Every structure is written in C-alpha cells, then in structure tokens.
Amino acid sequence: MDLGIIGQAVGLFAATNIDDILVLALFFAQGAGRPGSARRIVLGQYLGFTTILAVAVAAAFGATFLPESAIPYLGLLPLALGLKAAWQVWKNHREGGGDEQEAQGREGGPSTLEVAAVTFANGGDNIGVYVPVFTASGVGGMTVYAVVFLVLVAVWCFAGRYFATRPVIAGVLARWGHILLPLVLIAIGMLILIEGGAFGL
C-alpha cells in the first residue's frame, strides 16, 4: 500500500472535515448521560459521511446523483435542524423549565438521522473536492482513500467525544451547549447557502 496516498488521504480528510469535531463535541455533550446516545451519534456520522463518499465515488465514475447546483441547498438541512433546536430552547425557557425540563426537551440527545443530515450537509461541498482526486487516483487509489476516510471518521468521533468529556469543556458545554448547538447549526446552514449562492445570496 502506497504510504504517499495514505498521507494524502489523511491530509485531505483533515482539511475538509476539521469543523466536524466541534459539531460532534456539541452532539456528544447534548447526549451526555443518555443511554445509546454515543452509538446513535457515531452511526449518524458514519451514515452521513458514507453517503458523501458514495456520491463522490459515483461521480468519479461519471454518475451524477447530486447536481453541483443543488449542493448549496444542502444548507437548508442544518439550518432547519438549528431552528428546530432553537425553538425547543426558547419553548423550554418560556415555560420556565429548568435543567430537568431542558433534558426532557432533548429527548435523549440527537437522533442518528439528525447527525447524518448535518454531517452530509456540512460535507456536501467536500464532494467537489473528492471527485477530481478520486478520478485521478483510479480504482486502487480510490479504495485507499475510502478506507482511510472511514477509519478517520472513527478518530473524529473519538476526538469529539474526548473534547466533550474534558472537565472544563464539558462544564461549558453542559451549561451552554443547548444554546451553542442551534447557533452552530444555523451558522453552518447559512454559510453553506451563502457561499454556494443559493437563492441568489
């Protein structure tokens, strides 16, 4: 196996997914202490990233399932989820609920599909980067990239959980995570829409 390709794959993944660690840390903080939450987050991350990988591989072979003009509109997914989470926070605050009510409002942390949707939308623009690299690498190189990427998804999940469980960070996320998560999701959604020129922005 070519160590050069492995190194390139690691660098490409890190460069295109660095922001996912923050989002994962927020998800892990949201699901802290809830049975099965970590498993759902990891599954969601893998589901979302595997979808990105599948679309990129298919496009490298000439099949276009996702037109380039549609990619900016993926920003609607995290935007909608962020607005939903913000609504839940506002509703809990309005009803005068404390931490217990807030925890109930989170319903055991994020679902697998929510994590997958955010992962896919946040990485949708990565497809445009992966396709030419995959095309130039051939089937063998593409396989190496895919394997390295999937291994690194696990590393990213571990890093996100690690940060979410550090005492200082965990304290901040426990206190402000329910506010930070909607803000981050809304910001990601708006950034994807604006940078992609969706709706003529």
Side-chain angles (χ1 to χ4, degrees), residues 8 15 53 59 85 89 100 102 105-106 131 153 158 176 184 193 199:
Q8 290 167 16
L53 205 52
V89 170
E100 183 179 342
E102 185 183 299
R106 288 200 296 258
V131 172
V153 168
F158 176 81
W176 300 105
V184 168
L193 290 169
F199 303 113

Side-chain angles (χ1 to χ4, degrees), residues 13-14 16-29 41 45 119 122 152-164 169 173 184 188:
F13 182 90
T16 55
N17 293 284
I18 194 68
D19 52 340
D20 276 353
I21 293 179
L22 170 62
V23 178
L24 280 167
L26 287 167
F27 278 141
F28 279 117
I41 293 167
Q45 183 73 6
T119 302
N122 195 29
L152 289 175
V153 168
V155 174
W156 251 234
C157 289
F158 176 81
R161 189 168 190 189
Y162 176 83
F163 287 123
I169 299 174
L173 293 179
V184 168
I188 287 172

Side-chain angles (χ1 to χ4, degrees), residues 56-77:
V57 168
F61 282 114
T64 307
F65 297 115
L66 190 66
E68 193 173 330
S69 59
I71 290 176
Y73 295 95
L74 292 175
L76 293 171
L77 290 170

Side-chain angles (χ1 to χ4, degrees), residues 170-181:
V172 171
L173 293 179
R175 183 168 182 181
W176 300 105
H178 65 290
I179 294 173
L180 287 174
L181 182 62

Side-chain angles (χ1 to χ4, degrees), residues 64-130:
T64 307
F65 297 115
L66 190 66
E68 193 173 330
S69 59
I71 290 176
Y73 295 95
L74 292 175
L76 293 171
L77 290 170
L79 180 60
L81 290 171
L83 290 172
K84 177 186 169 191
W87 166 256
Q88 188 66 53
V89 170
W90 180 81
K91 192 169 87 168
N92 287 341
H93 178 72
R94 187 175 172 213
E95 292 171 357
D99 291 340
E100 183 179 342
Q101 186 172 5
E102 185 183 299
Q104 289 173 353
R106 288 200 296 258
E107 296 179 345
S111 72
T112 298
L113 289 179
E114 285 175 335
V115 176
V118 171
T119 302
F120 182 70
N122 195 29
D125 56 342
N126 295 356
I127 294 169
V129 177
Y130 296 161

